[in-house]
Amino acid sequence: MQSATTLYDYLYQSILTQIRCGALRCGDQLPSQTELCRQYNVGITTVRRVYRMLQAEGIVSSGARTKAVIQCDLPQEKSAGLAVMRKAVILDMFCSLAPLYPGLQAWGAMQVKDLNALRQLLEQFAKSEEQRGQLHAYSQLLDSLFLPMHNQVLMDWAQEVSHSTYIPLYATLQLDARYALPFEQFQALIQALFKAMEVGQCSQCEDVLRQIYYKGWTRAEKILKALTEDCTEVKAPADYT
């Protein structure tokens, strides 16, 4: 069994990793304390301790009955450099998970009884005017397919995969527009996924999710290649990998 020390350190390091990889930026809100308890399967005492640690270091600010807000950020060049340092790790994870990830998501999709929440995320994706907002809704929609399994190990694993393979989007905004999320293609594939879910076609769901997965993998390769060409200096691998 994990000790309390391990649990609070795990949550603390997870939040720092999200800041380092660009998943969280200055001004972003952390989930509520209750939501963090659910996401990480920890008690409220652990979450409050991590909040105090982050506040003491000036990483977040938090008031009474308000969500904590990120107060620090990485420069674009630093974030891009960290992504390049982890290029091999990121692409290896995409390759290794390809046979497994879409199948697990399809199994979770078959357990979804109400598509309204997923449709709302798709609407959020469509309404967002910036790539980062689109990516957030995109990630939430796909990650939510693990929730119906009610398996904390799988949900923790999916969350760690999401953090580990995240490429800082704001570092790619000055790249060619071809690296933007394929909005129209993604929307069409999600609509096809919803239809398959409604009629209970698991194999069809997996086929659509596999197409989405490979589009994400291809896009990650292109972005990392462009960032590699743009970075003038790459140092030792990041110590938080």
Side-chain angles (χ1 to χ4, degrees):
M1 297 295 291
Q2 290 179 306
S3 67
T5 302
T6 301
L7 290 175
Y8 83 75
D9 187 60
Y10 170 76
L11 174 55
Y12 173 76
Q13 291 298 334
S14 178
I15 292 173
L16 289 185
T17 298
Q18 292 177 69
I19 294 172
R20 287 165 171 163
C21 76
L24 290 174
R25 293 197 63 194
C26 185
D28 286 349
Q29 289 185 329
L30 287 179
S32 67
Q33 294 187 19
T34 302
E35 181 65 13
L36 283 175
C37 288
R38 187 192 64 79
Q39 286 183 6
Y40 289 89
N41 197 28
V42 297
I44 190 67
T45 302
T46 298
V47 172
R48 287 173 178 167
R49 180 173 184 177
V50 171
Y51 263 50
R52 289 195 295 269
M53 292 168 62
L54 294 171
Q55 284 181 290
E57 296 179 21
I59 296 171
V60 304
S61 64
S62 179
R65 299 185 179 181
T66 60
K67 292 182 179 180
V69 178
I70 304 297
Q71 295 295 304
C72 60
D73 208 348
L74 286 179
Q76 177 173 311
E77 297 78 11
K78 178 70 172 178
S79 182
L82 289 172
V84 171
M85 282 190 280
R86 300 181 58 251
K87 176 181 177 180
V89 173
I90 293 171
L91 294 181
D92 183 61
M93 288 190 72
F94 271 105
C95 180
S96 301
L97 295 174
L100 181 64
Y101 218 75
L104 282 173
Q105 287 180 315
W107 192 88
M110 288 294 93
Q111 317 307 312
V112 175
K113 305 302 180 185
D114 185 359
L115 293 179
N116 287 332
L118 296 181
R119 295 190 191 280
Q120 289 175 4
L121 285 171
L122 187 60
E123 289 178 8
Q124 182 182 331
F125 177 83
K127 292 178 180 177
S128 179
E129 296 180 356
E130 61 173 8
Q131 288 191 54
R132 190 161 175 270
Q134 290 182 345
L135 182 65
H136 183 67
Y138 168 95
S139 299
Q140 274 194 308
L141 197 157
L142 294 179
D143 289 347
S144 66
L145 296 179
F146 287 95
L147 295 177
M149 301 180 192
H150 301 292
N151 185 308
Q152 191 62 45
V153 173
L154 277 178
M155 287 189 284
D156 289 346
W157 173 72
Q159 184 168 261
E160 287 303 307
V161 168
S162 180
H163 294 164
S164 300
T165 58
Y166 191 96
I167 301 169
L169 190 66
Y170 61 92
T172 73
L173 294 180
Q174 296 180 11
L175 297 175
D176 192 287
R178 289 175 297 176
Y179 301 114
L181 283 172
F183 171 71
E184 293 182 356
Q185 295 178 26
F186 174 79
Q187 190 175 38
L189 285 169
I190 289 297
Q191 294 292 2
L193 174 64
F194 289 168
K195 290 181 180 178
M197 291 169 67
E198 288 173 340
V199 296
Q201 291 290 329
C202 186
S203 60
Q204 190 175 346
C205 283
E206 182 172 350
D207 179 64
V208 173
L209 286 162
R210 200 167 296 282
Q211 292 181 57
I212 293 173
Y213 185 89
Y214 279 105
K215 285 185 181 297
W217 183 0
T218 302
R219 178 172 173 272
E221 287 182 312
K222 290 180 178 178
I223 291 175
L224 287 168
K225 180 180 179 182
L227 289 177
T228 302
E229 294 171 352
D230 195 49
C231 283
T232 57
E233 182 181 2
V234 177
K235 299 180 182 179
D239 58 5
Y240 60 91
T241 302

